[in-house]
Amino acid sequence: MRLGIISALAEEQHGLIEALESPFKHFYGMREYTAGKLWEIDAVCVLSRIGKVAAAMTAAILVEKFGVTHIVFTGVAGSGDKNVTVGDIVVAEQLIQHDFDASPLFPRFEIPLTGLSQFATDVHLTDRLAAAAAPVTRVHRGLIASGDQFIGKPGQIQALKAAIPSVLAVEMEGAAVAQVCFELGIPFAVIRTISDNANDDAAVDFMHFIKTVASRYAFEVIYNFCKSGSEPTFGY
Ligand code: SAH
């Protein structure tokens, strides 16, 4: 396994780059890719920047230029469900681009020529991430919606829920990574710590929460994830 780890913001990945052994930095396409060993796993960490295009470009380059075989996206998201509260973790089982609409040519949300409106994450990676997150905080699994908007204006989350009732969390990159990985045949998973309720308080204390809570959770989850992969070794 050569694992690509993407986050949108520096604070979401804080600590992981420092934990990389024998780090080697490559600059490409306005991104800094740091390759090294992360607790025995061959890994490449990178910040995608915010939004679907930025995330799609980063995922494609991780695969095509840095040869990663698996991708995990770790970051924060707004809650899309009353049972999902700030400080919980949502592990995606499916992702949808909530702002995609090529109707009437294609059904709303469907990505043309894939026949899909939702992309499923890799079951093994997702199980392993959820198990890695379980000791850290409360974990939910389900649908994450991505779009090129910070959801926080009055009525925004309600409209999104009316259109896609099963959404657990909203963010701005996951479903783009999902589409790239689907098209390139790369197993991937997305894990998000809930930073806000996607309402008018959403921007308040957002960065403070990421720095103090979400970055620590991301670090612990990835640590548990990497450690859980070690194969039993036999003496002969
Ligand atoms: N206020 C921040 C903006 C960050 S954009 C700043 O000044 O830098 C929000 C980032 O966190 C995106 O990468 C997105 O994936 C995630 N996110 C967290 N809460 C969100 C919400 N309510 N709606 C959309 N994205 C959200």
Side-chain angles (χ1 to χ4, degrees), residues 76-90 136-140 168-169 192-199 201-210 212-214 217:
V76 296
S79 170
D81 189 280
K82 61 177 179 350
N83 296 316
V84 176
T85 55
V86 170
D88 290 356
I89 278 179
V90 176
V136 177
T137 185
R138 193 154 69 119
V139 179
H140 309 264
L168 295 185
R192 294 276 184 171
T193 301
I194 299 302
S195 56
D196 57 82
N197 288 320
N199 59 20
D201 302 332
V204 179
D205 278 347
F206 177 76
M207 292 316 284
H208 180 73
F209 177 85
I210 299 182
T212 56
V213 181
Y217 283 5

Side-chain angles (χ1 to χ4, degrees), residues 8-9 12 50-51 76-78 149-152 170-173 192 195-196 198 202 206-207:
L9 311 170
E12 292 173 324
I50 295 168
V76 296
Q149 292 120 31
F150 186 84
I151 306 290
V170 290
E171 39 88 314
M172 302 177 69
E173 299 85 14
R192 294 276 184 171
S195 56
D196 57 82
F206 177 76
M207 292 316 284

Side-chain angles (χ1 to χ4, degrees), residues 98-123:
H98 68 73
D99 54 356
F100 203 106
D101 188 356
S103 63
L105 294 179
F106 295 90
R108 188 176 176 194
F109 306 123
E110 184 171 310
I111 303 303
L113 310 185
T114 66
L116 298 172
S117 58
Q118 298 184 9
F119 293 95
T121 57
D122 179 71
V123 176

Side-chain angles (χ1 to χ4, degrees), residues 5-87:
I5 303 177
I6 314 178
S7 305
L9 311 170
E11 294 79 7
E12 292 173 324
Q13 215 176 67
H14 183 73
L16 280 181
I17 288 173
E18 290 76 4
L20 276 173
E21 272 175 54
S22 330
F24 194 86
K25 288 189 189 302
H26 308 255
F27 292 89
Y28 188 80
M30 299 180 144
R31 310 283 191 279
E32 186 176 290
Y33 295 79
T34 311
K37 279 262 179 218
L38 201 54
W39 304 296
E40 309 300 311
I41 288 193
D42 193 15
V44 186
C45 293
V46 59
L47 302 178
S48 61
R49 304 176 171 209
I50 295 168
K52 292 190 298 168
V53 173
M57 152 144 176
T58 308
I61 286 168
L62 269 176
V63 175
E64 295 300 324
K65 195 170 167 68
F66 295 97
V68 308
T69 57
H70 298 72
I71 289 182
V72 167
F73 194 108
T74 161
V76 296
S79 170
D81 189 280
K82 61 177 179 350
N83 296 316
V84 176
T85 55
V86 170

